[in-house]
Amino acid sequence: MNGHRSTDKARAQRQARERANAMRAFMTFAGVYIALGLFFFLINLFAGISSPWFFWPMLPLTIPLVILAWRAFALIRFDEDWVERQVEKAVGSQAPAPKQARTEPANEMMALAAQAADLIDSMRRSARQIPKPAVRTQALDVCASADRVLAAMSDNPAEVMLARDFVNRYLTPANSILADYSRLAARNVASAEPTLQRVEEHDLPLLEQKLNEVHDRLHRGSLIDLQVAREMLSLDISDWGDDELDAGTDARLRRGTSPATGN
């Protein structure tokens, strides 16, 4: 391990020294190039020569200047490190994408269940503070429906999206409605009576209905499985021939049993 680190460090130092030497060579040659270009330009200017001939003696010096600039400022260095980087990039692009951990939906479902339990407890505390007995019973029924949905969530851990809707679309606003209703109803605010009546007649029944729908949707998978199993059983029974049924009846008769009573 230490040997590899020392080798990498020595190689990095060597590459840095090469780049520094290349930069120094370019800067030195560039200074000479500029000085010579200025010298020939002044001769061209003060000699009274009308044509700009000063760049002709500078042309042969331009080629080594470009080479030195490439060595000093090249963004891509085609060395062994560059080759290794290209190989790693190609291998990484062909590697299969990592599979999403299977525990993520389960973890999210556990977090949603905990959040739902807290909201239902808060809803129940608000419902118990409602002064009207009938409305209090109605609000507690809503909490009971929410409890049934929460219990069904544990039996259906794959229904994460439905659990999100249960928490975000139903429990969160329901908690706010019950908290505000219980507070306003306890204070006998006259201006709030129309809104409170609207909650009693519309919001609470609708909320209980929606929670029952979520409960049914959570059990839809089990219902479908039950229906499929019954259809499979019906198909198997329909495949029994009359000969098989008659043979079964004759066997029971020989044993002295009745097909209807089994006695």
Side-chain angles (χ1 to χ4, degrees), residues 97-133:
K99 295 182 179 180
Q100 188 176 8
R102 295 182 179 179
T103 57
E104 288 184 1
N107 291 337
E108 185 177 0
M109 180 62 81
M110 291 176 60
L112 290 171
Q115 185 178 358
D118 293 338
L119 289 171
I120 294 173
D121 289 341
S122 178
M123 290 166 54
R124 186 172 284 107
R125 287 193 298 269
S126 299
R128 289 169 179 168
Q129 297 175 2
I130 295 176
K132 293 182 179 180

Side-chain angles (χ1 to χ4, degrees), residues 183-195:
R183 182 173 61 256
L184 293 174
R187 295 178 181 178
N188 294 323
V189 181
S191 60
E193 285 299 326
T195 303

Side-chain angles (χ1 to χ4, degrees), residues 226-244:
L226 177 60
Q227 292 174 349
V228 171
R230 292 187 66 256
E231 291 176 0
M232 292 176 63
L233 181 61
S234 299
L235 290 174
D236 290 339
I237 293 176
S238 64
D239 290 338
W240 292 355
D242 294 337
D243 296 338
E244 294 178 356

